[in-house]
Amino acid sequence: MKTVFFLGSNFILQRRLRFFLTVFAAMASTCIVLWIVSGYEAVLKSHDVFAERALGRYTLSVDAISRSVDRHVMPQTLTDLRADPEVIAAEAMWAKRITIQTDEVVRMAPPPGSASDPEDMPEVARVHQGVMIAGDAPLPPFPILKGEWINSGGSTAVNGRYNAVVSAQIADRYKLEIGSTLKIGRPGKTKVLEIIGVIDNPPMPVTGRLSGTIILPTPSVGGIYVSSDDAEKITKDKFTITFIGLCLSKSADVHKFRFRWTPILNSYAQPAQFQRDHDLEEQLDEAASAKNMKLQSYAATIITMFFGFLMVFNTLNMGVSEQIREFAMLRAVALTRGNVAMIIFIQAILVSGLGFVGGLGCAIIITKAASSFSILSLRHNVEIGMLSVILAAISTFGGALLAAVFPAWRSTRVRPLDAMTPPQAEVSDYTVLIKRLFVVSIAFICLAALFIFMSPAQAGRIVFLRLISCVFCLGIGFILLAPPAASFVYVLAGGVIARIFRINPELLSKQLSSQLWRTVASILAMGVGLSLFISIQVWGYTLLENFVPGRWAPDALVTFGPDGLADTDALQVPKIPGIDPNHCLPILVEQPRLAKDYTNSARQASAIRQDNVVIVGLDPDKAIGSDHPTFNFSFVRGSRQDALAMLKQGNACIVPEHFLRVSGMDIGDTFTLIPPENPEHKAAYKIAASVKMKGWHWQTKSTGLRVRVHRAAALIFADYQSVAQNFSIDRPQHVWFNYTSGQVDPASVDDKLQSFYADITGQSVAKGKPRNKAQFVLENSDQKELPYIQTVTLKQIRHQIRTMAKRWLWAAGMLPAIAMLIGCIGLFNVIISSVQTRRWELGILRAVGFSRWTLVRMIIAEGVLIGVTAVLLSLGFGILAGWFGTTAAQHFSFFGGMKSELVLPWLQLGIGIIAALIFSALTAAIPAFQVGRTPPLKLLQQGRNIF
């Protein structure tokens, strides 16, 4: 065994540069896996913490749908939830905003009724406010850091002091310890709390927003926790259920539980809903995305394993070709076939071992440096974990050992007699084989398409298996297509490239045909990274276009908050300079729930499978009645004239086409909505038409039209009067309009709208919706929200979504870019080996009159031809993979469900293609110039390669 190890290490070290490049490629692959997986682990841990601790120990939270001041959850809701066998605990909580008094506030705060803006006052002069949560839960929502939890067995008042537990944030802010006191309430009505415990707070999410608000509370918004009896004595009010914290059994399916209980919660006199506030919903979405990152890390492992396979395979296979005589002599002397095969595997282990150790060291250094930057965005720093090490080892050693199988088999086929005959160049005719490979590869690609485009199925294991089968067949198809593609590209572009580089086409053909399999390996090494890059860009931009608002929407939507406009005032908005009076519509907006689960959201929730819709009430004549309507809809089912007539009759609506496809309804069908503030009154609407409404998701999100919950199944349009009557809305809060021309400055129109609203309200009006103005407000805690206007233009929405998407798509393209660079190492290795094996031939060419620059151009042309083939193959694979991916997303992705038209972002694709061609040319240039500088006599010398 010792002799075999000595021979294996010496054989591979004979080609030191090739050995170094292969080890470097293995290091890069290892480092990629370690970095990606460890980064995913850090994000996953952080997101898990955000999601799990946003509700504390509770699985779900239930609160009132209504946003009225006296909203509450009915006691019957609590009773019914406790009767459910899947509910372990249902605990009622009362959230109350309270004033926190400090000596500095009492001394420096402005007098009550002062109009001072709290944001302009020094911090010590502001009256601090917090949220007090009262309840009788036996356990705290978050872990206790100090002290103990409150006793729920009645009042704790002793000497005018009430026991309380505070959050770590409140404790740090007011320098509170166990036994400290805290004054709350207004001057003259102050109560004293004695701190008996401090609980942990959930971390700040990556969105930068707190998880929950006083409007839609969760346990995480509480700063002070008291018992329900004490809360009644402190506030002089009766305990009211603001929300209910639910703990479900481990066997419960949270998704099914939510959608099973949704219609029940809607049926109460005071309807309730599961907590789906924007911030909390975003956190849960982020957590789901983070869990998907595990799958991405496995995918990265497979990709890098493939790279490792190609790199080691090229090195070992070329070594076997060059060392046939040595292996034959060893066979003749003493070694068995098993010993020869073991030499190949030892070389593979040696390369992968050094690559793994080097990659691990580099990854540790990189992660240590990155930790200092990630601490602000991730609760858990990026660290090399056991999972990342295991996956890196699998990718590095697994790829190397798989790559060694075929070269080892080849080495065992060497006969002792081969020592007497010199190695021959590959001169086989592969025409028949290439034709057969072409047929088989096309069959695999068609099979992949069949898996995707066969009759649709519900999301689940079947669709996932179909997707995996599609990816497998598509990958095999294009791997088998590489040899035919190489032949096709030479026939198509070989003559052009030869003329560009001023070399004989037959000479170029001879060099490529004599090393077909090395050329194919180089094409695959280069093509994997470029294929991934192209597929990511095609997939991303194709899906993106579904969320970019189309031309159906007017230029801008302005919100007048918080009270909206009287009808007479709304009629004055079209008169404001810069606004087109013919295309200016006051609208009424509500987000009611569907009486039935028309979209099947309980089984498969998605961006369009939800239990509610956003309904907009508007004037039908101005909206769609004229030759140049405000809403330029493209009708799919029904016509503009029929839809206009039905809308004017009342209780009819226009819906997006996907709503009909998902729900199975058609023109003329009726569906029922439940008004949030009056659930006993059901509102039935007849479908008048369906239209293309591309980008309505982002339109409603950015403009604040989702007024109740974060998701909606559709944006639908109805007549103004029926919406006002069915949903008890008496004042429009939004106005949708076009500018008079493209030359109008939106900022100047904003100024006029601000002045207009200030004249109506008699108060100063802010631009932009206030976002919780920190924790500090004026001393009057019942103060209403200050008036504001918020204008969101169509141009802003498009710019925002495209900018964010481009940023993420380019970030997602970094791994393929790195993969392409590693592929260049493989190409470099192959060209060096090609030059090595052809040194005698190159010397003969120099001897018969070819100049050194002819040889340089010939080798660079080989690299460019390989690059062109890799580009062609990658374009085919990337476009198909992106297209198949967006098609499959309709069945399993949360953001799928809408038919996508294939989008080819040629600018981004062009950058990747040009980069690949430049890399291939530069990779070939180094050995080309090395050969050009070598004298003919040295090229003719037999012996060890100087590379």
Side-chain angles (χ1 to χ4, degrees):
M1 186 66 186
K2 183 177 180 180
T3 301
V4 172
F5 178 81
F6 174 78
L7 290 173
S9 58
N10 274 274
F11 275 151
I12 198 167
L13 288 175
Q14 285 180 358
R15 306 289 185 264
R16 289 184 174 83
L17 181 57
R18 184 190 305 167
F19 172 72
F20 170 77
L21 291 174
T22 309
V23 170
F24 181 77
M27 286 177 56
S29 299
T30 302
C31 195
I32 287 175
V33 174
L34 289 169
W35 170 247
I36 291 175
V37 179
S38 59
Y40 286 165
E41 282 184 308
V43 174
L44 184 61
K45 289 179 183 177
S46 299
H47 283 298
D48 280 346
V49 171
F50 296 148
E52 292 172 2
R53 300 187 62 203
L55 289 172
R57 67 184 183 90
Y58 301 107
T59 312
L60 292 170
S61 176
V62 176
D63 77 331
I65 289 179
S66 173
R67 294 293 162 255
S68 61
V69 176
D70 60 345
R71 67 186 182 278
H72 64 277
V73 178
M74 297 182 65
Q76 183 64 37
T77 308
L78 179 66
T79 303
D80 292 346
L81 283 168
R82 285 176 173 172
D84 192 298
E86 290 188 316
V87 177
I88 297 176
E91 296 165 355
M93 298 188 190
W94 181 22
K96 188 77 173 178
R97 179 169 285 167
I98 49 93
T99 301
I100 300 174
Q101 295 289 339
T102 65
D103 294 338
E104 291 84 358
V105 168
V106 173
R107 184 170 61 252
M108 300 183 64
S114 169
S116 300
D117 186 343
E119 295 296 327
D120 295 334
M121 292 185 282
E123 184 173 324
V124 295
R126 301 173 187 162
V127 174
H128 296 199
Q129 287 205 333
V131 176
M132 182 176 71
I133 290 184
D136 295 322
L139 298 172
F142 307 107
I144 286 280
L145 299 179
K146 301 177 185 177
E148 59 184 4
W149 182 240
I150 53 178
N151 185 356
S152 58
S155 177
T156 62
V158 178
N159 298 326
R161 297 183 177 183
Y162 300 87
N163 289 346
V165 172
V166 297
S167 66
Q169 183 181 14
I170 294 291
D172 291 341
R173 183 170 189 80
Y174 297 103
K175 305 297 187 288
L176 300 176
E177 297 290 343
I178 303 301
S180 300
T181 60
L182 185 67
K183 295 178 182 180
I184 63 172
R186 301 181 186 179
K189 298 181 180 180
T190 302
K191 302 294 183 180
V192 179
L193 304 180
E194 182 172 342
I195 309 305
I196 64 169
V198 177
I199 66 172
D200 197 5
N201 285 110
M204 182 68 73
V206 293
T207 57
R209 302 171 180 172
L210 295 174
S211 51
T213 66
I214 188 60
I215 304 299
L216 288 172
T218 67
S220 60
V221 302
I224 302 171
Y225 301 83
V226 298
S227 67
S228 56
D229 288 341
D230 286 347
E232 289 183 341
K233 291 180 172 61
I234 292 170
T235 62
K236 305 299 183 183
D237 289 332
K238 188 177 180 180
F239 183 89
T240 303
I241 303 177
T242 307
F243 66 97
I244 300 172
L246 292 180
C247 294
L248 302 184
S249 63
K250 292 183 178 179
S251 61
D253 187 314
V254 178
H255 178 73
K256 291 181 179 179
F257 181 87
R258 284 175 57 180
F259 284 93
R260 175 166 63 84
W261 265 91
T262 294
I264 302 175
L265 296 179
N266 287 335
S267 65
Y268 293 111
Q270 286 282 345
Q273 65 180 351
F274 288 109
Q275 174 62 280
R276 299 203 302 178
D277 172 55
H278 177 277
D279 299 331
L280 181 60
E281 183 83 1
E282 286 296 331
Q283 288 179 343
L284 295 176
D285 289 345
E286 288 167 354
S289 299
K291 290 178 181 177
N292 288 335
M293 289 181 178
K294 246 182 190 178
L295 295 177
Q296 297 180 38
S297 65
Y298 297 150
T301 302
I302 295 173
I303 292 169
T304 50
M305 181 184 291
F306 184 67
F307 278 128
F309 172 85
L310 289 175
M311 300 300 108
V312 177
F313 178 82
N314 278 341
T315 297
L316 298 182
N317 203 41
M318 288 185 292
V320 171
S321 298
E322 296 164 359
Q323 295 163 356
I324 287 178
R325 297 184 67 181
E326 287 90 337
F327 285 139
M329 292 178 65
L330 290 173
R331 285 290 316 281
V333 174
L335 297 187
T336 65
R337 291 185 176 183
N339 295 141
V340 174
M342 187 60 65
I343 289 175
I344 303 301
F345 281 104
I346 286 174
Q347 294 179 25
I349 294 173
L350 182 63
V351 169
S352 58
L354 291 175
F356 178 77
V357 173
L360 182 61
C362 293
I364 291 174
I365 295 173
I366 293 173
T367 52
K368 289 294 183 183
S371 295
S372 59
F373 297 99
S374 64
I375 191 170
L376 297 177
S377 58
L378 299 178
R379 184 178 177 88
H380 297 270
N381 287 335
V382 179
E383 296 177 352
I384 301 297
M386 184 56 65
L387 176 64
S388 57
V389 174
I390 292 174
L391 291 180
I394 291 174
S395 68
T396 306
F397 289 100
L401 292 176
L402 287 175
V405 172
F406 181 73
W409 176 81
R410 283 189 62 204
S411 68
T412 62
R413 308 299 296 173
V414 176
R415 301 168 301 171
L417 188 61
D418 292 334
M420 306 300 296
T421 58
Q424 300 295 320
E426 299 180 67
V427 293
S428 303
D429 185 2
Y430 295 107
T431 304
V432 175
L433 177 61
I434 286 175
K435 290 180 179 179
R436 291 175 178 175
L437 286 177
F438 177 77
V439 173
V440 174
S441 64
I442 295 300
F444 270 100
I445 294 171
C446 292
L447 186 60
L450 182 63
F451 280 120
I452 289 297
F453 293 106
M454 69 172 61
S455 58
Q458 294 292 335
R461 186 172 298 177
I462 298 298
V463 172
F464 182 74
L465 290 176
R466 280 168 46 179
L467 179 63
I468 295 299
S469 301
C470 170
V471 173
F472 175 79
C473 291
L474 194 63
I476 294 297
F478 274 91
I479 289 174
L480 296 179
L481 191 60
S487 299
F488 174 75
V489 169
Y490 173 73
V491 172
L492 187 69
V496 176
I497 293 176
R499 282 193 293 272
I500 292 175
F501 285 91
R502 291 183 299 160
I503 57 176
N504 190 318
E506 292 298 325
L507 182 62
L508 181 60
S509 172
K510 173 64 172 59
Q511 304 307 315
L512 291 174
S513 61
S514 65
Q515 47 184 335
L516 176 64
W517 301 115
R518 295 180 186 178
T519 301
V520 169
S522 301
I523 291 170
L524 293 176
M526 283 286 296
V528 169
L530 184 58
S531 296
L532 287 175
F533 177 81
I534 292 174
S535 62
I536 287 173
Q537 300 300 317
V538 171
W539 172 81
Y541 278 92
T542 299
L543 282 183
L544 170 66
E545 288 307 308
N546 281 325
F547 294 90
V548 177
R551 296 181 179 180
W552 61 268
D555 293 338
L557 186 143
V558 59
T559 303
F560 296 93
D563 298 325
L565 300 169
D567 288 338
T568 53
D569 295 328
L571 296 176
Q572 303 303 313
V573 176
K575 299 178 182 179
I576 294 176
I579 294 178
D580 185 348
N582 297 319
H583 294 155
C584 180
L585 290 174
I587 61 173
L588 302 178
V589 181
E590 186 52 275
Q591 193 173 4
R593 294 184 179 273
L594 297 163
K596 297 180 181 179
D597 192 5
Y598 297 100
T599 64
N600 198 23
S601 60
R603 183 174 180 180
Q604 182 187 350
S606 70
I608 59 173
R609 293 181 183 270
Q610 297 292 318
D611 60 357
N612 68 89
V613 296
V614 174
I615 185 168
V616 172
L618 40 67
D619 181 349
D621 285 317
K622 284 191 174 181
I624 63 172
S626 66
D627 293 334
H628 300 285
T630 305
F631 289 88
N632 188 25
F633 289 131
S634 176
F635 285 77
V636 180
R637 306 189 204 183
S639 64
R640 185 184 303 274
Q641 293 75 17
D642 293 342
L644 177 61
M646 292 180 67
L647 259 63
K648 292 171 75 171
Q649 292 174 7
N651 283 77
C653 64
I654 296 174
V655 301
E657 170 62 19
H658 70 78
F659 182 71
L660 297 185
R661 189 175 65 253
V662 170
S663 65
M665 292 188 284
D666 205 342
I667 302 299
D669 291 341
T670 300
F671 60 92
T672 305
L673 302 175
I674 301 175
E677 304 291 348
N678 186 16
E680 295 182 358
H681 171 74
K682 303 296 189 295
Y685 280 86
K686 181 181 287 188
I687 300 173
S690 71
V691 298
K692 292 182 180 179
M693 206 180 293
K694 190 177 71 171
W696 69 267
H697 295 86
W698 213 263
Q699 183 86 27
T700 55
K701 179 176 182 177
S702 300
T703 55
L705 295 184
R706 303 180 199 174
V707 294
R708 298 283 175 179
V709 293
H710 184 48
R711 302 288 183 197
L715 171 64
I716 67 177
F717 292 86
D719 66 291
Y720 190 95
Q721 293 302 324
S722 70
V723 172
Q725 193 172 30
N726 289 328
F727 302 101
S728 303
I729 307 175
D730 57 357
R731 294 169 67 91
Q733 196 177 15
H734 308 273
V735 177
W736 227 326
F737 64 89
N738 282 332
Y739 294 108
T740 52
S741 71
Q743 305 301 319
V744 173
D745 181 13
S748 66
V749 177
D750 253 15
D751 294 336
K752 295 180 178 68
L753 288 168
Q754 184 182 31
S755 301
F756 166 76
Y757 200 41
D759 292 339
I760 293 174
T761 60
Q763 302 181 59
S764 60
V765 173
K767 282 187 180 180
K769 186 175 182 179
R771 292 192 178 274
N772 239 359
K773 286 215 170 186
Q775 295 176 318
F776 317 108
V777 297
L778 293 178
E779 203 233 322
N780 180 6
S781 62
D782 296 326
Q783 171 187 324
K784 293 179 64 176
E785 189 177 355
L786 294 175
Y788 67 90
I789 66 159
Q790 177 174 268
T791 305
V792 181
T793 68
L794 191 62
K795 185 177 180 180
Q796 288 173 341
I797 298 173
R798 290 171 176 168
H799 176 74
Q800 179 187 22
I801 186 173
R802 284 194 169 118
T803 300
M804 289 192 300
K806 287 178 181 178
R807 185 183 305 124
W808 282 106
L809 287 173
W810 278 116
M814 287 299 100
L815 173 61
I818 295 173
M820 196 158 54
L821 288 174
I822 297 178
C824 289
I825 299 175
L827 176 60
F828 184 51
N829 212 346
V830 168
I831 292 179
I832 285 181
S833 175
S834 172
V835 171
Q836 164 70 22
T837 56
R838 291 182 294 157
R839 290 175 65 80
W840 176 262
E841 298 175 14
L842 296 174
I844 293 295
L845 291 176
R846 287 293 311 279
V848 298
F850 283 82
S851 69
R852 66 179 62 192
W853 295 115
T854 301
L855 298 186
V856 170
R857 293 195 304 272
M858 181 184 70
I859 295 172
I860 295 178
E862 292 177 23
V864 171
L865 201 57
I866 290 173
V868 170
T869 308
V871 164
L872 182 64
L873 205 64
S874 301
L875 267 177
F877 178 88
I879 292 174
L880 284 182
W883 183 24
F884 290 174
T886 54
T887 303
Q890 297 180 30
H891 307 302
F892 72 89
S893 171
F894 182 86
F895 294 99
M898 295 171 294
K899 291 186 177 180
S900 304
E901 296 179 359
L902 182 65
V903 176
L904 300 179
W906 287 113
L907 176 61
Q908 287 74 18
L909 300 187
I911 292 174
I913 290 171
I914 292 173
L917 294 176
I918 292 175
F919 288 162
S920 61
L922 292 178
T923 301
I926 297 175
F929 282 106
Q930 184 69 27
V931 167
R933 290 198 301 267
T934 305
L937 287 178
K938 286 189 177 181
L939 291 175
L940 292 170
Q941 289 175 350
Q942 296 294 319
R944 176 170 296 185
N945 187 355
I946 62 172
F947 279 102

